Amino acid sequence: MKIAVVGAGSTYTPELVSGLSREREAIDVSELVLHDVDAERLDVVGSLAQRMLLHQGFEGRLESTGELDRALDGADFVLIQIRVGGQEARFQDETVPLACGCIGQETTGAGGLAKAFRTVPVVLSIAEQVRERAADGAWIVDFTNPVGIVTRALLDAGHRAVGLCNVAIGFQRSFARWLDVEPARLVVDQVGLNHLTWVRAVHLDGDDVLSQLLADHGDELADELELPHRLFDELGAIPSYYLRYFYAHDRVLAEQLGGTPRAARVMEIERELLEQRGGAFYSEAAVGLVRSLASGDGAVHEVDLRNAGTLEGLADDDVVEVPARVERDEITPLPQEPLAPELLGLVQHVAAYERLAAQAAEQGDLAVARKALLAHPLIGQDELAGELLEPLLAQREAPV
């Protein structure tokens, strides 16, 4: 089996490569190809990956290349983790909205639209080359943000694709540590849209232990998510960290206006710690998903895919983030109870935005982009949309 990693200059890549090597009996990887347009970063990451594979006794072939065609030729899985425009573009995504009095975040709200506008055309171009050059039936696994919008664009274009995020696996690992159990025994029932999800149940060997976790560790969760414990009890669910931008909007905005943009901090970290930074569970989530698709082990993974009736109140072609059972070449969402009104209303609102954002990014349509800003609950005003549109999309032709 050949696996290609596009955007392999990412600091997540060494952990990803190491995980694929450890799972080589289940995945049977014979060839790993790392691709990036940044030769310097690729050299650093590729050299580290090579040392890790040698240490693990990997007998397959590892190649680093700046030629996309070479990376994709005959690939069975293509993992895409690119950042179009780099951290400099992220800095714009996070600061332009702040100047207009809006939340500055690279995947949520106005910054997410700018990122989608830059990213979707590039990912679709890569996907077309996957269609032409990869093995028949090859899977595209996307962890390129904004994952929900990018995955929707891929599926709209008819590609065999699934989206992946690390929020659910992060919860799973924390819960397993608190319960002193192996993570594989836990299924985190996290539902919604990418970066707009709630954990409504946590199944330990089939039994829901969410109430126990909230009782024993609710204050700890509240500190980590920077939301009140009371809110979790009232919702009967644990919101993802990204719900802070909605549930604590004014406080977060004030913090952002008085602080250092996250992009600036990340740029400094990457300069100093490229060879040391871990994968924040992205690698484990990706390796697990590839393993299940290749081996048909039937494990449950949190993925982004078509709704197809999974969540009532959303269109079948909306892209939702839910737990799904993964067999060989087949992904089936677990059945879900309807969302409570206080969750469904927000999800419907943002799903409408994502539909418009994907369309705008695919077509390069500024009028539709303006509608997307109007549809988003963190913006939603005509003057704001007009003020944001030009500076937000100034970076849309930034290089990969």
Side-chain angles (χ1 to χ4, degrees):
M1 179 182 298
K2 177 178 177 177
I3 297 178
V5 181
V6 179
S10 167
T11 51
Y12 298 141
T13 299
E15 288 297 324
L16 175 62
V17 169
S18 177
L20 290 170
S21 172
R22 288 195 303 271
E23 293 287 342
R24 57 187 178 271
E25 289 188 10
I27 303 177
D28 191 23
V29 180
S30 59
E31 186 176 2
L32 273 170
V33 182
L34 309 182
H35 170 271
D36 205 282
V37 297
D38 187 324
E40 183 178 359
R41 290 178 65 95
L42 183 61
D43 182 62
V44 172
V45 172
S47 297
L48 177 57
Q50 183 68 64
R51 293 196 297 272
M52 296 171 78
L53 291 181
L54 286 172
H55 180 72
Q56 292 177 351
F58 177 68
E59 296 178 353
R61 180 166 174 261
L62 175 70
E63 179 181 359
S64 298
T65 180
E67 299 177 21
L68 183 60
D69 291 352
R70 186 178 181 89
L72 298 180
D73 280 340
D76 299 283
F77 288 89
V78 178
L79 313 184
I80 303 179
Q81 54 180 27
I82 63 174
R83 178 179 291 281
V84 180
Q87 293 294 343
E88 293 79 7
R90 177 180 181 170
F91 183 83
Q92 294 297 317
D93 296 344
E94 294 181 345
T95 55
V96 168
L98 288 176
C100 299
C102 294
I103 292 287
Q105 212 283 326
E106 66 160 346
T107 63
T108 301
L113 178 66
K115 187 174 180 68
F117 230 79
R118 285 195 312 277
T119 303
V120 165
V122 176
V123 172
L124 289 180
S125 176
I126 294 168
E128 283 302 314
Q129 293 178 73
V130 172
R131 201 197 304 269
E132 294 173 5
R133 294 185 169 274
D136 291 341
W139 278 95
I140 295 174
V141 179
D142 175 68
F143 10 122
T144 297
N145 281 317
V147 168
I149 296 171
V150 172
T151 302
R152 182 185 187 107
L154 286 166
L155 295 174
D156 286 348
H159 297 290
R160 197 182 202 199
V162 61
L164 190 64
C165 182
N166 69 337
V167 171
I169 193 172
F171 275 132
Q172 183 203 45
R173 298 312 164 89
S174 292
F175 298 159
R177 185 176 69 253
W178 292 338
L179 295 168
D180 194 24
V181 300
E182 288 297 316
R185 295 174 59 190
L186 290 176
V187 173
V188 176
D189 193 8
Q190 176 180 287
V191 299
L193 309 176
N194 178 243
H195 289 185
L196 194 83
T197 50
W198 296 261
V199 176
R200 299 193 298 175
V202 180
H203 298 289
L204 172 60
D205 299 333
D207 295 325
D208 187 4
V209 294
L210 176 61
S211 59
Q212 175 188 338
L213 285 166
L214 285 175
D216 295 344
H217 299 281
D219 291 339
E220 213 169 330
L221 278 166
D223 288 342
E224 288 184 8
L225 301 177
E226 299 182 59
L227 289 168
H229 184 173
R230 167 193 53 77
L231 178 63
F232 307 160
D233 294 332
E234 291 177 355
L235 294 175
I238 302 171
S240 79
Y241 180 84
Y242 292 89
L243 267 299
R244 292 182 68 242
Y245 301 116
F246 300 86
Y247 292 155
H249 176 277
D250 291 355
R251 174 160 55 88
V252 172
L253 181 59
E255 291 170 357
Q256 290 186 342
L257 288 170
T260 302
R262 177 168 169 75
R265 298 197 301 272
V266 171
M267 282 189 280
E268 185 62 29
I269 290 170
E270 287 195 336
R271 280 193 293 267
E272 295 179 359
L273 304 176
L274 180 58
E275 294 195 13
Q276 300 177 35
R277 185 177 170 197
F281 300 122
Y282 267 114
S283 58
E284 294 180 49
V287 169
L289 178 57
V290 171
R291 181 188 61 233
S292 293
L293 286 169
S295 70
D297 61 15
V300 173
H301 300 272
E302 185 83 10
V303 294
D304 291 79
L305 74 177
R306 293 289 196 201
N307 181 44
T310 304
L311 293 178
E312 291 184 15
L314 295 180
D316 285 347
D317 68 339
D318 283 333
V319 169
V320 296
E321 189 168 290
V322 295
R325 193 166 302 283
V326 181
E327 306 285 352
R328 187 186 300 274
D329 292 330
E330 184 177 0
I331 305 176
T332 306
L334 299 186
Q336 294 292 335
E337 294 294 324
L339 292 169
E342 62 274 15
L343 311 186
L344 179 60
L346 185 52
V347 168
Q348 288 174 323
H349 208 159
V350 177
Y353 152 78
E354 290 195 346
R355 178 182 296 273
L356 292 164
Q359 181 184 345
E362 290 165 23
Q363 300 173 359
D365 192 320
L366 298 184
V368 178
R370 183 185 179 90
K371 290 179 182 178
L373 291 174
L374 288 173
H376 201 289
L378 294 181
I379 304 153
Q381 298 181 62
D382 176 64
E383 288 187 9
L384 269 181
E387 189 176 354
L388 282 165
L389 194 59
E390 183 176 345
L392 274 178
L393 302 187
Q395 294 287 326
R396 62 183 180 274
E397 295 181 355
V400 178

